[in-house]
Amino acid sequence: MQSPANDLLTKTETAQASANRTPVIALAGQPNVGKSTIFNILTGLNQHVGNWPGKTVERKTGTCEHLGRALTVVDLPGAYSLTANSVEERIARDYIIQDRPDVVVAVVDAAILERSLYLVAELLLLPAPVILVLNMIDVAEQEGIKVEPQVLQAALGIPVIPMCATRGRGIHALLDTVQALIGGNLEYRPRRPTILPNHEMILAELVRRIAPHVPDRYPVDWVALKLLEGDSEITTQMQETLPNDVWEQVHATLYEHEDAILDIAGARYGWIERMVRAAVERPKVGQMGLTARLDKVLTHPIWGMAVLLAVLGGVFWLTYSIGVPLQTWLSDVLDRLAMVAGQALAEAPGWLSALATDGIIGGAGMVVTFLPILIVFFTVLAFLEDTGYMARIAYLTDRFMHAMGLHGKSFIPLLLGFGCNVPAILGTRIIETRRARGLTILLAPLVPCTARIAVVAVLAPVFFGNRAGLVVWVLVTGSLIALALLGIILHRFILRGEQVAFIMELPLYHLPNLRTIGLYIWQNTVAFLKKAGTIILLVSIVVWVFSYFPNGVVSESYLARAGKWLEPVGQWMGLSWELITALLTSFIAKENTIATLGVLYGDYETVLPTVLSPAGALAFLTTQILFIPCVATVATIKQEAGTKWMIASLFLMLGLSLGAGIGVYQLGVLLGL
Amino acid sequence: MLFQLLEILNRSDRLHTPPQLAEALHTTPQMVQQLTEHLARQGYLVEAPQCSDGCADCALRAMCSAEGHKAKLWTVTEKGLRALHRSGGAP
């Protein structure tokens, strides 16, 4: 296979070119490979700094002397390739093509050869001999990467100089090699990257068409290759240069092979890989960096999951041992506050006292009790995020979430839902795509929060005595099964077709920064209080109005009327209007179910078993645990996803809970419960 | 190699890490990173935003974009899918 550009230089040509003028060395390389350090060492104080003609990019030139001979050194702008992606890349290639330096010194970072050699692959196609400088060889050695310069030199067919520029090591060897190459005393037979045979034919056709019109300074093969790569600058130049009929033929060929760049660049990477495989020895498992070693365990399908389960256990333990007691304590404080407010407003109109105690403190005040749980979760989140472990959780859980059309990142918000659905909805912010975020928001209320679990845990013994534990376990497990099934159904039949593959570059592990964690908790807490709190306060007052008016008696309120209106639905589940009303009031906060039952039945623990069959009790508890989420969650859904998603969530949960309640009741009746 | 990487992404809609892709392509994770960045420069891949659209007014937005702590996510663009389609690698 033929290279795109012929060997344009011979020993004689090189020697002749430099015989009558001061030889020019051009330093090329990517940014941050130590090119400027080498330039400074070579030129010392003999530097001139200006701008490249017509550009605002800095141009540095200088002179040095070696073995009694002067050399001009030009520091080319840092470039990743020689395609017209940036002004720096255009300057670098134009200089080499038009000014024809005697030698191009390609500086690469020895520790990241894969990254650095692409530029070299392109430099070898230009009409100037290339010397490769393996800079930062010491850093590569420290990282356990062993590069063999002689092997690389044999593989590339060009001189390779190992260097540690910051210590001045390798500079003399470089200058000796430059002199030898300019003097024609060094063999130069570069092994250039090749292209696929089918593209070689297309390239030959392009060369044939454009050859008579390409300006003298440009190698025709190189121009044709750049056209095939889709280089914007060369394409524009040739469009202006070629006669119309020729351009139309060329353009048709280029259009047909629009993606040739993938094969051309792919072949260059294949070439790079062969070079790296031949000359680079990487550290073994025992010598890997901390991140790689940790990831061997933490992203392992078995050990990684074991660690993850332990981490999740820790999250629950922290939440229940710190967050829930604090929430209970805050609830007691709120109760006392409501009592004090009631006493203070004893002389005020009844509605005002009820608004303050039941509407504002009992409704919006409930939000404040979420704070301890939120803070615990935000702390854990910030810690996991700041150490870099969060990304590993997303990666590990991806395979499970995938069945539901979700990625692992959805696992985190769903996990938060066990504490409270509000942070679960807020937690969906970490999800990238709108579809995945919406789907997670729809599924999050199906994770039974502490309040839901508490309500069924309180009511289950009333109906089922010592079998209550089993009933609660079945209810919680059933919720999670419903979540998985709903996720699969939504993914397969409604929100399908948008899922895409991702490449995930896992971040390095970090020691957590306490200030970052503190800031994260503070900002999240303030944002929650400001945004969710204001909406919740408003909605709480509205719902309270419906439960209080027209005459202050709950059983005759508009809410109760709605309950009675819904009684026919209740009958399908064996539920009275009181139980339906209790369900409705759980919209303000889940715990309200118990409070409402207390108001409507008095000693509900004694009365309920007499008015409700086991089948009805199971239906009630099933509906309760699957019922539409509390107002705080609904408000947060609206805030985070918008009204449409909120309405979708409400209808979904309402349909699911009532459907499940009816199903459970009818099945129970069939079984004689 | 670039086509192969696109094809792997197109065949499976899961999360892939550079080490996994490196194994599939018989190369190094460093090379996969390089290929990924190259495909992104050419418009065949795009880096997924770190914050979703719901985060537009989030006080933590600046923090979320902090370099080094977040996993970088890349996904195939329309141009990438078109290239696969033309090559017969996509439906």
Side-chain angles (χ1 to χ4, degrees):
Chain A
M1 203 178 300
Q2 176 186 321
S3 70
N6 295 320
D7 281 4
L8 296 164
L9 295 173
T10 63
K11 285 182 196 175
T12 318
E13 278 177 331
T14 313
Q16 281 174 352
S18 56
N20 304 322
R21 61 181 174 94
T22 304
V24 178
I25 308 170
L27 292 179
Q30 293 183 345
N32 305 318
V33 292
K35 196 160 53 69
S36 295
T37 308
I38 296 171
F39 176 80
N40 290 334
I41 292 172
L42 287 174
T43 58
L45 296 174
N46 303 313
Q47 293 186 9
H48 172 71
V49 180
N51 275 356
W52 288 91
K55 306 283 192 308
T56 53
V57 179
E58 190 178 71
R59 174 190 169 124
K60 291 202 295 189
T61 56
T63 55
C64 70
E65 203 177 286
H66 185 66
L67 302 175
R69 186 164 189 193
L71 297 162
T72 298
V73 186
V74 179
D75 189 9
L76 295 175
Y80 292 95
S81 71
L82 293 180
T83 302
N85 289 322
S86 67
V87 65
E88 287 81 6
E89 293 179 356
R90 283 199 291 272
I91 290 171
R93 76 181 190 190
D94 287 350
Y95 177 80
I96 296 170
I97 290 168
Q98 291 170 16
D99 290 55
R100 302 270 171 115
D102 296 271
V103 176
V104 174
V105 173
V107 184
V108 300
D109 183 340
I112 45 169
L113 269 186
E114 287 95 339
R115 183 176 289 266
S116 303
L117 282 179
Y118 192 87
L119 177 67
V120 178
E122 291 218 73
L123 285 170
L124 289 176
L125 303 173
L126 294 179
V130 179
I131 295 174
L132 185 75
V133 166
L134 279 174
N135 195 24
M136 304 189 201
I137 196 91
D138 54 332
V139 176
E141 282 167 8
Q142 281 165 16
E143 292 179 17
I145 301 167
K146 195 177 169 190
V147 186
E148 299 278 2
Q150 286 82 9
V151 177
L152 193 59
Q153 180 165 309
L156 285 168
I158 64 172
V160 174
I161 311 295
M163 186 177 284
C164 172
T166 50
R167 294 180 191 172
R169 274 167 40 195
I171 296 290
H172 278 284
L174 171 65
L175 289 171
D176 286 343
T177 309
V178 167
Q179 295 278 36
L181 196 61
I182 291 171
N185 301 318
L186 201 64
E187 196 174 27
Y188 183 75
R189 292 186 182 280
R191 293 191 175 83
R192 301 185 173 95
T194 53
I195 61 173
L196 294 176
N198 57 332
H199 285 130
E200 208 169 327
M201 287 167 61
I202 299 157
L203 193 67
E205 184 194 328
L206 283 174
V207 168
R208 186 177 58 78
R209 290 190 195 283
I210 67 171
H213 313 283
V214 174
D216 289 343
R217 300 293 293 174
Y218 286 89
V220 178
D221 288 0
W222 181 81
V223 172
L225 189 65
K226 282 289 155 190
L227 279 173
L228 203 53
E229 283 183 45
D231 185 288
S232 57
E233 192 182 56
I234 296 293
T235 304
T236 306
Q237 280 181 13
M238 292 314 294
Q239 188 177 1
E240 289 166 0
T241 308
L242 294 174
N244 279 344
D245 58 328
V246 177
W247 168 247
E248 277 172 20
Q249 291 166 347
V250 167
H251 185 254
T253 306
L254 296 178
Y255 183 77
E256 196 182 338
H257 301 280
E258 190 190 352
D259 300 312
I261 175 67
L262 289 175
D263 280 333
I264 295 168
R268 282 179 194 151
Y269 283 114
W271 174 86
I272 291 168
E273 174 153 276
R274 288 194 296 279
M275 299 300 150
V276 171
R277 196 176 289 164
V280 178
E281 195 181 321
R282 293 200 176 275
K284 301 280 183 286
V285 175
Q287 301 165 296
M288 287 189 304
L290 178 67
T291 292
R293 271 183 286 164
L294 283 174
D295 273 346
K296 275 275 169 195
V297 176
L298 298 181
T299 62
H300 189 275
I302 296 168
W303 306 125
M305 284 306 294
V307 173
L308 174 60
L309 289 174
V311 169
L312 297 186
V315 171
F316 278 118
W317 180 79
L318 278 174
T319 306
Y320 281 98
S321 59
I322 301 172
V324 173
L326 282 172
Q327 189 192 22
T328 309
W329 176 77
L330 270 179
S331 292
D332 291 343
V333 170
L334 272 179
D335 287 344
R336 269 178 258 148
L337 187 67
M339 205 162 66
V340 171
Q343 287 166 354
L345 294 168
E347 303 300 319
W351 68 267
L352 188 61
S353 174
L355 171 64
T357 55
D358 301 335
I360 296 174
I361 299 175
M366 185 61 68
V367 173
V368 180
T369 68
F370 293 161
L371 266 180
I373 290 174
L374 277 174
I375 290 171
V376 172
F377 272 123
F378 285 146
T379 307
V380 175
L381 263 180
F383 182 82
L384 295 178
E385 184 76 59
D386 208 40
T387 53
Y389 185 65
M390 188 76 92
R392 273 76 186 178
I393 295 181
Y395 172 72
L396 279 168
T397 53
D398 180 66
R399 71 189 68 183
F400 302 107
M401 305 306 292
H402 194 74
M404 292 185 275
L406 295 173
H407 284 300
K409 272 197 166 185
S410 295
F411 179 77
I412 308 295
L414 294 180
L415 172 72
L416 300 186
F418 282 103
C420 172
N421 286 174
V422 173
I425 304 298
L426 290 172
T428 61
R429 290 177 181 189
I430 61 171
I431 300 165
E432 292 77 22
T433 66
R434 189 174 175 77
R435 172 196 159 277
R437 190 165 184 239
L439 188 50
T440 311
I441 284 175
L442 288 182
L443 296 178
L446 280 166
V447 178
C449 66
T450 49
R452 283 176 201 244
I453 294 173
V455 170
V456 293
V458 167
L459 291 178
V462 173
F463 302 111
F464 301 103
N466 56 7
R467 283 178 296 171
L470 178 66
V471 172
V472 174
W473 182 83
V474 169
L475 288 169
V476 171
T477 310
S479 285
L480 297 177
I481 291 171
L483 184 153
L485 290 176
L486 186 66
I488 291 168
I489 291 167
L490 286 173
H491 166 51
R492 295 281 161 87
F493 301 107
I494 299 169
L495 292 167
R496 62 184 173 178
E498 290 180 51
Q499 207 177 12
V500 289
F502 284 106
I503 300 175
M504 189 182 219
E505 283 181 31
L506 296 171
L508 297 173
Y509 288 105
H510 292 261
L511 278 176
N513 183 308
L514 290 180
R515 192 176 174 277
T516 307
I517 291 176
L519 199 65
Y520 185 92
I521 297 164
W522 171 249
Q523 289 187 323
N524 261 307
T525 306
V526 170
F528 169 74
L529 283 174
K530 271 186 184 173
K531 292 179 181 177
T534 48
I535 295 170
I536 290 164
L537 181 64
L538 183 68
V539 178
S540 295
I541 291 170
V542 171
V543 174
W544 171 83
V545 166
F546 282 106
S547 68
Y548 184 81
F549 288 103
N551 57 10
V553 181
V554 176
S555 60
E556 294 169 12
S557 68
Y558 297 121
L559 200 65
R561 288 180 200 180
K564 285 174 184 171
W565 183 70
L566 288 170
E567 202 170 15
V569 180
Q571 283 170 353
W572 295 341
M573 296 184 282
L575 305 182
S576 62
W577 74 265
E578 290 93 337
L579 288 160
I580 293 291
T581 307
L583 273 176
L584 288 180
T585 55
S586 74
F587 178 63
I588 302 173
K590 292 294 149 189
E591 295 87 337
N592 280 357
T593 298
I594 295 167
T596 308
L597 289 174
V599 170
L600 297 176
Y601 284 116
D603 183 7
Y604 69 88
E605 288 176 316
T606 308
V607 180
L608 274 178
T610 63
V611 298
L612 203 58
S613 67
L618 268 180
F620 179 68
L621 293 177
T622 303
T623 312
Q624 170 70 41
I625 207 162
L626 294 174
F627 199 57
I628 51 175
C630 67
V631 65
T633 306
V634 173
T636 312
I637 291 174
K638 184 195 176 303
Q639 187 180 287
E640 293 295 312
T643 308
K644 284 181 188 170
W645 285 101
M646 181 194 75
I647 292 170
S649 176
L650 282 174
F651 275 99
L652 188 70
M653 296 301 289
L654 192 64
L656 190 69
S657 58
L658 295 181
I662 292 167
V664 166
Y665 178 70
Q666 298 299 333
L667 189 67
V669 170
L670 274 176
L671 295 172
L673 290 172
Chain B
M1 287 180 95
L2 293 166
F3 250 123
Q4 285 171 299
L5 180 57
L6 279 179
E7 278 167 358
I8 291 172
L9 290 176
N10 193 55
R11 276 203 300 271
S12 158
D13 50 7
R14 296 195 170 188
L15 272 182
H16 302 268
T17 61
Q20 274 180 336
L21 292 167
E23 209 174 309
L25 292 168
H26 307 292
T27 185
T28 60
Q30 292 84 352
M31 177 61 88
V32 171
Q33 282 181 331
Q34 185 64 14
L35 297 174
T36 303
E37 285 168 23
H38 193 103
L39 285 169
R41 274 201 300 274
Q42 298 293 333
Y44 293 94
L45 291 182
V46 67
E47 190 180 345
Q50 291 294 303
C51 279
S52 63
D53 50 3
C55 296
D57 57 349
C58 176
L60 305 174
R61 190 176 166 84
M63 250 174 68
C64 284
S65 304
E67 289 294 323
H69 296 267
K70 291 278 180 182
K72 268 189 169 182
L73 283 167
W74 306 86
T75 188
V76 183
T77 61
E78 280 298 316
K79 184 179 177 183
L81 291 174
R82 276 203 312 275
L84 284 166
H85 183 72
R86 273 195 293 267
S87 73

